[in-house]
Amino acid sequence: METSLSENKKFWDSEASSLLINPRFAIQEKELLARAVEKYDEKGRIWLRSSGTESSGKGIKLVALKKSAILKAAKSVNDFFGLSEKDVWLCGLPIFHIGGLSIYARASLSKCLVVRLKSWNVESFEKLIKNEKVTVCSLVPTQVFDLVNAKIAAPKNMKLVIVGGGALNSDLLEKASELGWPIAVSYGMTETSALMAATNPKNIKTPMATKMELLPHVELHPAAEKWAIESESLFDAYLWVSQEEAKYEPRPEPFVLDDHLQVESREIKVLGRESEIVKILGETVNLNELKEKISPFYKKPFFIQPIGDSRRGFRLEVYVEESLDGRFVDLEVINQRLMPYERVSKLRFVDQFVRTSLGKINKPETIRKIKRLKEDIN
């Protein structure tokens, strides 16, 4: 299914605003959000539900982005990777998230075609990219994991796979590269109209593939222990919507990133969010780095959950997407490879993780699922 370029251009040129949300939402929820947006809308805006963590008690979090901001970021991505009308994009991400929507913005500017993958599975993906001669696509780490697990090799026509929406560990990147996938690691968010940093195309398929550099439209400035971002692609405002009220919050100036970054000139490394850096027995533990250490033990997806502990500060539990039936896991084997303050206190096995519409692991819902199952058993 090809997307009409004329329809694409008409959408981006229009001053009409759009509220793009998951069509599976209840009608009452859609109507609630539409009323709130109508009250605070301005011309040429796109309203998206935040794909980040929601703040309990505030309601649903919407992000307002100017179409011009999204197009600014899209042009920067096209220029950075040298994308043109000769390319064919595959969109396998929802267009009610910035990850999918930004693909159409890039395609509109470069005048190239977009083919759509309606639902994710590796067989449909492989067939589509071969039949349609796809050259570029965006994936989340879970999708890369599925390709590697199925041992799907990249076709010769594929020249770029932009991976975002979460950390891609080096082991998985290496295995994907061995299968020929030309992966560019990326970093961005809804608030920045998708990408703000990515692997330089010259470094794809090299040992430097994990390094990212800021895209031309982005500048960073120190802000205490964090970084403030300056860019024409930044969002306008947040809108928190609940049954009781709608609270409009203009973008703070400066806009300081929640993530901890290591910045050297225009090269960056994402150390993790506030919730991914914890203190245990007085030592700083980066959960992303710890996941790298643990990843060789598991071929299945997993995540690390810090649990508050009055003595240690936190204790760590690892959730693995795998049945425990017939398996024995020696936790000591893992812990022998870790520093004493990094050691895992418990392994939990889940038949199937709860995932978002982007395919990312929904950690809070997965943990709630386990608790509900325990309650049912008891």
Side-chain angles (χ1 to χ4, degrees):
M1 173 184 170
E2 294 181 353
T3 299
S4 166
L5 293 176
S6 60
E7 289 176 0
N8 217 349
K9 190 173 190 310
K10 183 179 178 181
F11 174 81
W12 293 107
D13 286 347
S14 170
E15 289 189 345
S17 293
S18 298
L19 169 63
L20 302 180
I21 53 175
N22 193 327
R24 294 181 180 178
F25 281 6
I27 294 175
Q28 296 88 340
E29 191 172 30
K30 292 178 183 177
E31 292 174 346
L32 176 69
L33 295 175
R35 288 194 299 270
V37 164
E38 186 177 5
K39 182 178 179 181
Y40 293 101
D41 192 29
E42 294 178 9
K43 288 182 179 179
R45 276 181 168 180
I46 294 178
W47 295 81
L48 301 171
R49 185 169 183 176
S50 171
S51 59
T53 304
E54 307 298 338
S55 176
S56 60
K58 281 190 171 184
I60 298 170
K61 181 183 178 183
L62 296 178
V63 182
L65 289 156
K66 284 190 177 75
K67 289 181 181 179
S68 59
I70 298 173
L71 289 170
K72 179 70 178 180
K75 182 180 185 307
S76 187
V77 170
N78 284 348
D79 293 345
F80 187 76
F81 288 112
L83 303 178
S84 70
E85 71 278 358
K86 296 178 182 179
D87 287 298
V88 177
W89 265 99
L90 179 141
C91 182
L93 304 174
I95 60 171
F96 51 83
H97 282 298
I98 193 61
L101 181 64
S102 61
I103 290 172
Y104 287 90
R106 296 164 196 160
S108 178
L109 290 176
S110 65
K111 297 181 173 58
C112 74
L113 296 178
V114 181
V115 295
R116 180 114 183 109
L117 181 66
K118 291 185 178 179
S119 61
W120 172 255
N121 67 72
V122 292
E123 293 81 10
S124 298
F125 175 77
E126 182 183 24
K127 183 179 179 181
L128 194 59
I129 59 176
K130 288 181 177 178
N131 291 347
E132 300 292 341
K133 302 265 190 304
V134 170
T135 61
V136 56
C137 69
S138 287
L139 299 177
V140 297
T142 301
Q143 293 168 322
V144 178
F145 179 93
D146 291 345
L147 290 173
V148 169
N149 200 42
K151 295 182 171 56
I152 304 291
K156 292 181 179 179
N157 49 279
M158 183 64 72
K159 77 174 190 182
L160 176 66
V161 179
I162 301 173
V163 178
L168 182 69
N169 72 61
S170 56
D171 181 59
L172 185 56
L173 174 60
E174 183 179 348
K175 289 176 180 176
S177 296
E178 288 171 357
L179 289 168
W181 294 102
I183 288 178
V185 179
S186 72
Y187 171 62
M189 60 197 73
T190 307
E191 289 87 343
T192 60
S193 299
L195 300 196
M196 59 174 282
T199 303
N200 188 301
K202 295 184 295 186
N203 295 333
I204 292 173
K205 293 188 176 181
T206 75
M208 296 177 67
T210 56
K211 293 185 177 180
M212 292 184 287
E213 65 179 66
L214 293 173
L215 270 61
H217 68 293
V218 174
E219 297 290 339
L220 292 180
H221 307 286
E225 295 183 357
K226 294 186 180 180
W227 294 87
I229 179 171
E230 180 183 335
S231 176
E232 293 179 25
S233 71
L234 281 176
F235 73 115
D236 279 357
Y238 290 126
L239 182 62
W240 297 91
V241 185
S242 67
Q243 291 290 346
E244 293 74 30
E245 64 175 351
K247 186 178 179 183
Y248 184 84
E249 297 179 357
R251 181 185 74 233
E253 292 291 355
F255 178 58
V256 179
L257 298 171
D258 284 336
D259 294 317
H260 291 267
L261 307 178
Q262 181 178 301
V263 181
E264 185 175 343
S265 185
R266 294 192 64 79
E267 191 173 283
I268 75 165
K269 180 180 180 182
V270 182
L271 302 177
R273 291 183 178 273
E274 203 75 58
S275 59
E276 293 168 336
I277 298 176
V278 296
K279 285 276 190 179
I280 301 178
L281 296 173
E283 300 284 350
T284 300
V285 177
N286 185 315
L287 299 184
N288 287 331
E289 293 178 357
L290 183 58
K291 190 172 181 181
E292 288 272 349
K293 293 183 181 181
I294 295 175
S295 62
F297 293 97
Y298 294 111
K299 294 182 179 179
K300 298 293 181 73
F302 72 94
F303 66 87
I304 304 169
Q305 181 67 21
I307 308 293
D309 185 280
S310 56
R311 179 178 179 273
R312 296 173 58 85
F314 288 92
R315 56 186 171 83
L316 303 175
E317 296 185 353
V318 172
Y319 288 73
V320 187
E321 190 176 43
E322 187 169 348
S323 171
L324 186 56
D325 295 344
R327 292 190 75 238
F328 175 77
V329 177
D330 188 352
L331 188 57
E332 283 304 308
V333 174
I334 299 173
N335 282 336
Q336 284 173 7
R337 304 288 184 91
L338 306 177
M339 299 296 289
Y341 52 85
E342 294 176 324
R343 288 174 182 166
V344 176
S345 64
K346 198 172 190 64
L347 290 171
R348 297 186 183 275
F349 294 87
V350 188
D351 286 336
Q352 188 172 25
F353 287 159
V354 179
R355 285 184 162 80
T356 69
S357 53
L358 284 173
K360 295 191 288 185
I361 298 170
N362 188 324
K363 297 178 185 179
E365 285 301 319
T366 296
I367 293 170
R368 277 194 279 271
K369 173 185 176 181
I370 294 173
K371 290 181 178 178
R372 286 195 298 269
L373 289 173
K374 283 184 177 179
E375 290 170 359
D376 292 343
I377 291 170
N378 295 335

